[in-house]
Amino acid sequence: MFYLPHAPSPRANVHEVADFIEWSAWRHGVFSAREANQAINQLDDNAYNDGCDDDSDSTAQELDEVFNEIERREHGCRGGYPFQLHSVGSILRSRTNKQNHRFLIYRYLLLCTRLNMSANRVHAGLDGAFLLEKLTAQVMKNCLGESRAFSEVFGTAESGGFPAKVQRLCDRLGEGGGYVSADGSRTFARDAKLDVVSWIPFSDGQPGKLIVFTQCKTGSSWPDSLGDLSPEAFLKTWTRDKSTVLTPIRAFCVAEAANRTRWHEISNRGGLFIDRCRTVDFSETISDELTREIEIWTNAAFEQTVTSLT
């Protein structure tokens, strides 16, 4: 794991190095494999050399796979990738298009992954982690069908006490029966790992509908949280009816562009998995208000990160 603005170590994985190259291309306008190799191997003056002829030789070989990963990201974002690979050689250029708000969203998610979000999540008075919950709510609405689906933030970005939020959720769903504590004791839960709830209602208003419970995570340590959210346990613990007619689907949304070689494992543990590229892919319709908040946070966070290098 590494935090911007520092370069990753020679032992960094493909996805960390790809993030560093993207951020560097964003900062400088263009960034090459040669420059990445130099930046990474300036760290600790070859301190990671454990039997290789030269760390830079090893890194250069691994950079081929890094640029393959970048190409996969470009394809996965479906027109929303804010960088362009040079047709000849391993060179990445930053792209600007104010009309394409998905470029902004990708950059926001990049910073949400590689900044220390425990200590550096608030910029320009906006909380980057809370913005991810708001963004996920709109992305899930798009995934389910923007014209019919409902999707809203349940987690810490939403004001109100936990019992009131559960009651409101049950009222909105028309299922669950309302809030109740399993043992009648005082409630200490903040969101019980549930950040966003999405559903597709029928016009008849009857119970029995597709519902999705989503957990959101910034940073890169999210694999430790896979499986934390259990829709069944949530309903049994906090609702009067202990269930909905159909058990909600479990989803997991992260700011990172995930390792494709671990996709099946991640999905088996976390449910419907939405990573950075999938978020950008389904960000065609995002409110002007949220887009503006993301832009303000991203510009402020990027400026602070660049300034810290001077």
Side-chain angles (χ1 to χ4, degrees), residues 101-297:
H101 63 272
R102 293 193 294 159
F103 284 10
L104 167 66
I105 289 172
Y106 188 97
R107 290 187 168 105
Y108 155 72
L109 294 169
L110 173 61
L111 290 180
C112 279
T113 303
R114 293 302 164 198
L115 293 181
N116 183 344
M117 293 294 282
S118 295
N120 202 18
R121 60 192 277 177
V122 177
H123 294 277
L126 295 167
D127 190 309
F130 291 174
L131 289 178
L132 181 60
E133 294 181 8
K134 295 180 180 180
L135 176 61
T136 298
Q138 296 196 21
V139 166
M140 292 305 301
K141 178 178 174 65
N142 294 341
C143 287
L144 295 179
E146 194 270 338
S147 64
R148 292 293 300 269
F150 286 83
S151 188
E152 58 187 42
V153 172
F154 178 88
T156 49
E158 182 68 13
S159 61
F162 182 79
K165 288 195 289 186
V166 174
Q167 182 64 51
R168 180 177 182 275
L169 174 62
C170 291
D171 292 343
R172 293 274 282 157
L173 291 174
E175 299 190 50
Y179 168 80
V180 68
S181 177
D183 58 5
S185 63
R186 182 181 176 186
T187 300
F188 292 96
R190 295 180 63 194
D191 57 28
K193 309 300 182 182
L194 176 60
D195 295 315
V196 173
V197 181
S198 315
W199 67 96
I200 304 175
F202 288 94
S203 298
D204 60 21
Q206 295 301 308
K209 61 182 70 68
L210 177 63
I211 305 170
V212 183
F213 280 11
T214 306
Q215 184 178 6
C216 306
K217 284 290 182 181
T218 59
S220 59
S221 61
W222 51 266
D224 296 337
S225 299
L226 285 169
D228 282 359
L229 173 61
S230 169
E232 298 93 333
F234 181 96
L235 294 169
K236 287 180 180 178
T237 306
W238 305 116
T239 67
R240 184 171 291 105
D241 292 347
K242 310 303 180 187
S243 67
T244 51
V245 172
L246 300 177
T247 301
I249 294 173
R250 181 166 51 106
F252 199 89
C253 181
V254 300
E256 189 170 21
N259 186 338
R260 296 326 191 242
T261 65
R262 296 186 56 204
W263 200 271
H264 283 85
E265 173 199 347
I266 292 167
S267 298
N268 287 334
R269 294 175 59 198
L272 175 63
F273 185 61
I274 310 292
D275 76 336
R276 184 190 306 164
C277 295
R278 284 189 166 187
T279 295
V280 172
D281 186 20
F282 274 87
S283 292
E284 298 102 327
T285 305
I286 300 297
S287 72
D288 291 341
E289 178 183 0
L290 179 57
T291 299
R292 181 57 182 160
E293 289 180 338
I294 289 174
E295 182 179 22
I296 292 171
W297 185 92

Side-chain angles (χ1 to χ4, degrees), residues 61-78:
Q61 295 171 6
E62 293 169 356
L63 282 170
D64 289 340
E65 181 55 34
V66 170
F67 277 85
N68 288 337
E69 165 62 19
I70 288 173
E71 187 173 7
R72 287 191 289 268
R73 294 181 182 187
E74 183 177 28
H75 176 75
C77 289
R78 195 174 55 84

Side-chain angles (χ1 to χ4, degrees), residues 7 46 48-49 56 64 214 224 261 302:
N46 223 39
Y48 292 89
N49 192 336
S56 62
D64 289 340
T214 306
D224 296 337
T261 65
F302 180 73

Side-chain angles (χ1 to χ4, degrees), residues 21-40:
I21 291 174
E22 289 174 342
W23 177 80
S24 298
W26 180 7
R27 180 186 172 207
H28 299 291
V30 61
F31 206 69
S32 67
R34 179 186 59 80
E35 291 170 307
N37 192 6
Q38 183 180 22
I40 291 170

